[in-house]
């Protein structure tokens, strides 16, 4: 399928190497199996993590400690190609690098960095990020998970988190909790007594992804478990900004996969004696999908360049996450109509991407939260208060 805007011509040779490397991995190791993974509700994380690590994809935008240290556009391109395979795959890489490794890299002690980052970069250790709770999603300031320090200096962690990607397979969890000094982050080995992470089943979206609840029942942690470099919501929100950047790139890949499937189908599906792609109404659908895909790609590339220049603002990430996820979901839904009844089977990727994008629309900031973020930027009035 033609890249109508020839956006990839704007990529450097290094970016194209990343693109081709990740796309090759997805073609060889993911696409032949991901429909079955989705249908069965499984994701072979332990099998894929070392391969992803060997390709430098885990924490690839971080420097040192075994990380690749690539630029933001490289990370975005990688997320795009991963999500062209499946949103669950991109979510795994995004959570590992942006939500679990990033806070340790940014706010952790030297001891925490040396203990965890090299193992996580290689795929030997898997991480998760505990912020959302059963009763607190868009309002994390109201979290009920607590960490109290006893006279010995140890912390006692109690509470619950929900909708946690990688939770049941993680070796380490970055958990955010209320303390007497405000919200703090903790590096929690999942082998700690009192920690449990049952998997959430019966999902109709992100089925090729491990989603869990986390429970902390008097989990005793040493004083050194706290992330020393940040206090307050700035910590977890900065991690979400990192991850949202990967999302706004990743969904371009999912949308592209849906458009490619629709174009291929329209060229070969014959009705009334001619390919359905020859009918004006079908071409109109495909053209509008291509326009939306191009706009999303332009947004992602622009924001990637801003991030590499060090000028990217959180509200701009909200713009990208809001606009690109909505565009990708619209493309997936329209592509489904081009495929007709075949669009609801796993013989084609469209329904899988469409269902996944329903989750991506909500997680790491609902569209309502991002709309209000942009509204505040426009009016200087805070609708959250």
């Amino acid at each position: 399928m033609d890249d109508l805007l020839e956006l990839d011509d704007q990529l450097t040779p290094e970016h194209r190497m990343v693109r081709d490397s990740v796309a090759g991995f997805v073609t060889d190791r993911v696409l032949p199996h991901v429909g079955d993974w989705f249908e069965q509700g499984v994701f072979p994380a332990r099998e894929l993590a070392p391969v992803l690590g060997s390709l430098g994809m885990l924490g690839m935008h971080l420097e040192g400690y075994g990380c690749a240290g690539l630029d933001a556009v490289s990370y975005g391109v990688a997320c795009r190609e991963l999500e062209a395979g499946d949103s669950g795959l991109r979510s795994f890489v995004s959570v590992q690098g942006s939500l679990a490794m990033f806070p340790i890299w940014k706010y952790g002690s030297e001891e925490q960095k040396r203990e965890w980052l090299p193992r996580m970069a290689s795929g030997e250790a898997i991480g998760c990020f505990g912020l959302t709770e059963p009763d607190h999603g868009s309002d994390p300031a109201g979290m009920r998970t607590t960490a109290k320090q006893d006279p010995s200096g140890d912390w006692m962690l109690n509470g619950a988190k929900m909708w946690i990607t990688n939770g049941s397979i993680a070796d380490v969890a970055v958990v955010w909790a209320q303390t007497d000094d405000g919200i703090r982050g903790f590096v929690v080995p999942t082998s700690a007594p009192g920690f449990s992470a049952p998997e959430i089943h019966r999902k109709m979206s992100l089925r090729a992804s491990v989603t869990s609840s986390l429970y902390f029942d008097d989990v005793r942690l040493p004083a050194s478990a706290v992330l020393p470099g940040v206090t307050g919501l700035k910590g977890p929100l900065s991690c979400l900004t990192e991850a949202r950047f990967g999302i706004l790139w990743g969904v371009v890949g999912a949308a592209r996969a849906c458009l490619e499937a629709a174009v291929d189908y329209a060229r070969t599906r014959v009705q009334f004696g001619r390919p359905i792609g020859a009918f004006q109404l079908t071409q109109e659908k495909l053209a509008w999908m291509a326009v939306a895909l191009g706009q999303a790609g332009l947004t992602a590339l622009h924001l990637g360049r801003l991030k590499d220049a060090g000028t990217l603002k959180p509200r701009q990430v909200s713009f990208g996450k809001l606009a690109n996820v909505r565009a990708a979901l619209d493309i997936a839904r329209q592509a489904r109509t081009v495929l007709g009844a075949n669009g609801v089977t796993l013989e084609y990727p469209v329904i899988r991407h469409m269902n996944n994008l329903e989750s991506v629309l909500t997680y790491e900031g609902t569209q309502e939260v991002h709309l209000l973020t942009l509204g505040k930027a426009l009016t200087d009035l805070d609708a959250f208060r």
Side-chain angles (χ1 to χ4, degrees):
M1 185 186 75
D2 285 342
D3 173 11
L4 296 182
L5 293 183
E6 299 176 352
L7 279 181
D8 275 13
D9 289 354
Q10 301 297 312
L11 301 178
T12 67
E14 182 181 64
H15 298 151
R16 292 174 197 164
M17 283 182 59
V18 170
R19 176 197 65 192
D20 295 344
S21 175
V22 180
F25 164 79
V26 170
T27 298
D28 294 341
R29 300 294 295 268
V30 177
L31 290 180
H33 312 291
V34 69
D36 292 334
W37 298 341
F38 187 93
E39 186 170 27
Q40 296 163 16
V42 299
F43 180 72
R46 290 292 174 186
E47 174 187 333
L48 294 179
V51 183
L52 291 165
S54 69
L55 293 171
M57 288 190 230
L58 304 178
M60 64 186 296
H61 58 309
L62 308 178
E63 293 187 0
Y65 306 97
C67 301
L70 299 181
D71 66 10
V73 172
S74 293
Y75 176 54
V77 168
C79 288
R80 184 187 71 182
E81 298 307 320
L82 289 167
E83 196 148 354
D86 193 78
S87 298
L89 174 65
R90 197 268 310 143
S91 293
F92 175 83
V93 171
S94 181
V95 167
Q96 179 83 344
S98 292
L99 294 182
M101 294 175 69
F102 173 78
I104 297 173
W105 179 84
K106 180 76 171 176
Y107 305 119
S109 66
E110 188 63 28
E111 177 186 1
Q112 291 167 339
K113 294 174 186 179
R114 291 185 183 278
E115 179 179 2
W116 289 108
L117 292 180
R119 295 170 57 202
M120 296 173 78
S122 70
E124 176 190 347
I126 293 173
C128 68
F129 176 86
L131 178 64
T132 298
E133 296 188 352
D135 296 322
H136 293 90
S138 296
D139 180 22
M143 70 175 67
R144 296 177 182 173
T145 298
T146 62
K148 298 186 179 298
Q149 206 162 18
D150 65 20
S152 72
D154 286 354
W155 294 91
M156 296 297 288
L157 184 66
N158 284 280
K161 303 292 182 180
M162 195 171 187
W163 306 117
I164 308 304
T165 299
N166 299 347
S168 303
I169 57 174
D171 301 287
V172 62
V174 175
V175 178
W176 302 90
Q178 297 277 11
T179 74
D180 291 340
D181 298 321
I183 292 172
R184 302 296 301 271
F186 295 85
V187 180
V188 183
T190 59
S191 59
F195 179 99
S196 60
E199 189 170 352
I200 296 171
H201 296 287
R202 305 189 74 183
K203 299 179 299 177
M204 297 305 291
S205 177
L206 288 178
R207 290 182 54 76
S209 178
V210 176
T211 310
S212 314
S213 298
L214 306 183
Y215 296 107
F216 319 106
D217 183 9
D218 284 338
V219 176
R220 180 175 291 274
L221 301 169
S224 60
V226 70
L227 293 172
V230 69
T231 301
L233 276 177
K234 172 188 174 182
L237 294 184
S238 67
C239 300
L240 291 176
T241 297
E242 289 290 311
R244 289 164 180 164
F245 176 79
I247 291 171
L248 69 89
W249 273 92
V251 294
V252 177
R256 187 190 71 203
C258 291
L259 177 56
E260 288 174 345
V263 169
D264 288 345
Y265 192 84
R267 285 171 171 165
T268 57
R269 173 69 170 177
V270 175
Q271 292 290 286
F272 304 102
R274 58 199 300 211
I276 63 172
F279 294 110
Q280 291 181 357
L281 288 177
T282 302
Q283 289 194 4
E284 181 187 26
K285 290 180 180 181
L286 297 175
W288 279 120
M289 284 190 274
V291 168
L293 179 64
Q295 291 171 333
L298 283 167
T299 297
L301 182 60
H302 176 63
L303 296 183
R305 288 172 170 171
L306 289 180
K307 186 170 175 60
D308 279 327
T311 60
L312 183 64
K313 301 177 178 66
R315 68 191 189 189
Q316 293 168 327
V317 176
S318 284
F319 180 106
K321 202 268 186 180
L322 171 69
N324 283 9
V325 177
R326 288 187 65 172
L329 188 53
D330 287 345
I331 289 169
R333 289 170 174 165
Q334 193 72 283
R336 211 289 305 159
T337 70
V338 173
L339 270 69
N342 285 317
V344 303
T345 76
L346 291 174
E347 298 301 316
Y348 298 86
V350 174
I351 193 66
R352 175 169 52 80
H353 284 299
M354 191 174 84
N355 281 14
N356 286 339
L357 288 167
E358 290 289 351
S359 290
V360 180
L361 183 70
T362 297
Y363 74 14
E364 297 183 37
T366 64
Q367 65 176 357
E368 290 83 0
V369 166
H370 292 299
L371 285 166
L372 295 182
T373 298
L374 298 184
K376 179 182 177 182
L378 292 168
T379 65
D380 202 28
L381 300 172
D382 191 351
F384 289 102
R385 298 191 178 203

